[in-house]
């Protein structure tokens, strides 16, 4: 029996906007896009990490009441949710490619302790760190 985390949810303000960002700008692919009334189960996955799905969910009913929905939307818009991490082989190349596609970066690539990272946000305000791991030396 195999076990592991399959889906991590992320709150977004608009699922269509998020879908366009994650597919067109970050290169993710749609895994599931299912509707049940007003509820939409939408997940994407990175083409190199097929066992992991990122759920793009809008806060609201039936999971949240009106006050909680509003609070969650404000927290996401402020970028106060924990950052996500995107592993890349070449941080500077990924930065240039994504910037050309319109991704708004909050931090240019910076080298720290042998690794390199940059920061960006999705259209909803969720913060991402893009990290190029330290290369192992012989």
């Amino acid at each position: 029996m195999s076990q592991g985390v399959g889906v991590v949810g992320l709150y977004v303000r608009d699922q269509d906007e998020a879908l366009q960002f994650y597919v067109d700008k970050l290169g993710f692919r749609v895994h599931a896009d299912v509707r049940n009334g007003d509820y939409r189960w939408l997940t994407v996955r990175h083409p190199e990490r097929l066992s992991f799905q990122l759920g793009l969910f809008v806060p609201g009913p039936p999971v949240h009441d009106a006050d909680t929905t509003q609070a969650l939307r404000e927290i996401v818009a402020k970028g106060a949710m924990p950052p996500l991490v995107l592993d890349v082989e070449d941080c500077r190349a990924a930065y240039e490619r994504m910037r050309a596609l319109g991704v708004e970066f909050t931090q240019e690539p910076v080298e720290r302790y042998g690794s390199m990272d940059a920061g960006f946000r999705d259209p909803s305000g969720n913060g991402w760190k893009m990290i190029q791991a330290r290369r192992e030396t012989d």
Side-chain angles (χ1 to χ4, degrees):
M1 177 176 189
S2 176
Q3 295 183 353
V5 177
V7 178
V8 171
L10 181 66
Y11 289 128
V12 298
R13 68 177 172 210
D14 180 285
Q15 288 178 305
D16 289 327
E17 175 187 56
L19 182 62
Q20 183 178 13
F21 177 81
Y22 283 96
V23 171
D24 295 346
K25 296 183 179 182
L26 298 190
F28 285 63
R29 296 182 183 152
V30 175
H31 178 74
D33 189 357
V34 180
R35 295 174 192 259
N36 184 6
D38 291 335
Y39 184 77
R40 183 178 181 189
W41 176 265
L42 176 61
T43 66
V44 294
R45 60 186 183 186
H46 193 276
E48 296 175 12
R49 304 279 171 95
L50 299 179
S51 64
F52 177 80
Q53 298 173 54
L54 185 62
L56 305 174
F57 305 117
V58 175
V63 178
H64 306 110
D65 62 31
D67 290 342
T68 303
T69 298
Q70 183 62 31
L72 287 170
R73 289 176 187 233
E74 290 173 6
I75 290 169
V76 171
K78 291 179 181 177
M81 299 297 280
L84 299 136
V85 175
L86 180 65
D87 295 328
V88 294
E89 286 189 31
D90 185 332
C91 188
R92 288 193 192 281
Y95 169 81
E96 293 299 335
R97 181 184 55 78
M98 291 166 56
R99 203 169 137 219
L101 291 171
V103 174
E104 294 182 27
F105 278 82
T106 56
Q107 175 206 311
E108 295 181 5
V110 173
E111 191 167 342
R112 304 174 210 258
Y113 312 107
S115 65
M116 185 172 297
D117 65 85
F120 63 93
R121 288 187 179 180
D122 73 10
S124 297
N126 292 296
W128 281 84
K129 274 292 187 189
M130 182 169 65
I131 298 177
Q132 174 186 327
R134 179 185 349 194
R135 297 189 200 290
E136 296 295 326
T137 58
D138 295 330

